[in-house]
Amino acid sequence: MKPTQKSDKINILILADEESKLLYDFYEPERMKDIDLIISCGDLRSDYLSFFVSLCNVPLLYVRGNHDTKYERKPPEGCICIEDTIYVYNGIRILGLGGSMEYLPGADCQYTEHAMKHRVKKLTLKLWRHKGFDILVTHSPARHINDMEDLPHRGFEVFRTLMEKYKPKFFFHGHVHANYGRNFKRVDTFGETTVVNAYDHYMVEYPFNNK
């Protein structure tokens, strides 16, 4: 792994939903040399994630998407699951909550609003110990923040509640693809939080100043 950097920012590569032809099919080390951390927001093959963690030599954190049911049998090798926990990287507190709204009753990686709220409630002690979090990582978006009205792509209200209460610097999610319609937004804001749709891939600079 790269040594801890004494810098006023780190470069985070976020991934979700679609394998990037630019980064994967036409891989060039030069494109990845300045990346400090990789975060997957779900619905990507285990081998795809393992490819990046092995070649980039940086931590790769992930949550599961609604199609990542195979992770139970074959998790991404060398990667770190941050589901239902707070992972700290260089002092940055990163909270992970994967899955989508439940549209097939009883399906793995799918949750009702009530079930997602229960997951968040179980994190109360961790949130208290860490004094909140800096980045929220999910698969689904938050309700009414670039989500869709159909049940499978509807966002969670509790994600809005988390942002309102803890005011993280970033919220990374996937699930809503760029080709789903003209309302796709790569970057948006909600209160003090920058919301980023990680579809395919996107690079984010995390500044340590004015934290």
Side-chain angles (χ1 to χ4, degrees), residues 6-206:
K6 294 181 179 179
S7 173
D8 60 354
K9 67 179 178 64
I10 65 168
N11 296 315
I12 304 175
L13 173 65
I14 54 175
L15 311 167
D17 300 299
E18 184 81 15
E19 296 185 6
S20 171
K21 293 189 184 317
L22 178 66
L23 299 184
Y24 187 61
D25 295 351
F26 305 104
Y27 174 80
E28 291 184 11
E30 186 66 20
R31 289 197 187 102
M32 316 293 283
K33 67 181 180 66
D34 294 324
I35 292 171
D36 303 298
L37 179 66
I38 304 173
I39 296 178
S40 169
C41 295
D43 279 358
L44 292 168
R45 290 183 301 115
S46 293
D47 291 344
Y48 181 75
L49 299 187
S50 297
F51 168 84
F52 287 110
V53 78
S54 63
L55 292 178
C56 297
N57 196 34
V58 299
L60 192 154
L61 317 179
Y62 71 91
V63 296
R64 297 185 305 165
N66 54 301
H67 297 301
D68 289 330
T69 55
K70 293 181 180 178
Y71 280 17
E72 292 296 327
R73 299 188 300 275
K74 185 183 178 184
E77 188 174 349
C79 305
I80 302 167
C81 179
I82 59 169
E83 292 274 4
D84 303 300
T85 194
I86 297 174
Y87 182 90
V88 181
Y89 172 81
N90 274 14
I92 304 170
R93 302 160 298 174
I94 306 169
L95 171 61
L97 289 163
S100 74
M101 188 66 73
E102 184 181 81
Y103 55 93
L104 296 173
D108 194 18
C109 303
Q110 296 180 25
Y111 303 87
T112 62
E113 181 71 42
H114 177 77
M116 186 62 76
K117 285 180 178 177
H118 183 65
R119 291 175 70 188
V120 171
K121 186 176 181 180
K122 289 171 67 176
L123 287 165
T124 299
L125 184 57
K126 289 181 180 179
L127 286 164
W128 177 78
R129 284 177 175 169
H130 288 280
K131 299 180 180 179
F133 59 96
D134 303 299
I135 299 176
L136 175 60
V137 178
T138 72
H139 180 61
S140 288
R143 185 66 176 131
H144 299 308
I145 307 175
N146 308 324
D147 64 342
M148 301 176 73
E149 289 304 313
D150 65 304
L151 183 60
H153 297 96
R154 190 176 300 167
F156 288 97
E157 292 278 359
V158 72
F159 294 166
R160 294 172 62 98
T161 303
L162 281 169
M163 288 188 282
E164 288 168 348
K165 182 175 181 179
Y166 294 101
K167 298 175 173 54
K169 190 177 290 291
F170 286 103
F171 171 33
F172 301 151
H173 72 85
H175 197 48
V176 178
H177 298 202
N179 58 357
Y180 281 178
R182 285 179 283 180
N183 293 326
F184 175 84
K185 273 191 178 180
R186 174 65 81 182
V187 180
D188 203 350
T189 57
F190 178 76
E192 299 179 25
T193 303
T194 299
V195 180
V196 185
N197 188 328
Y199 175 76
D200 192 303
H201 77 281
Y202 193 71
M203 186 74 74
V204 174
E205 286 188 356
Y206 185 98

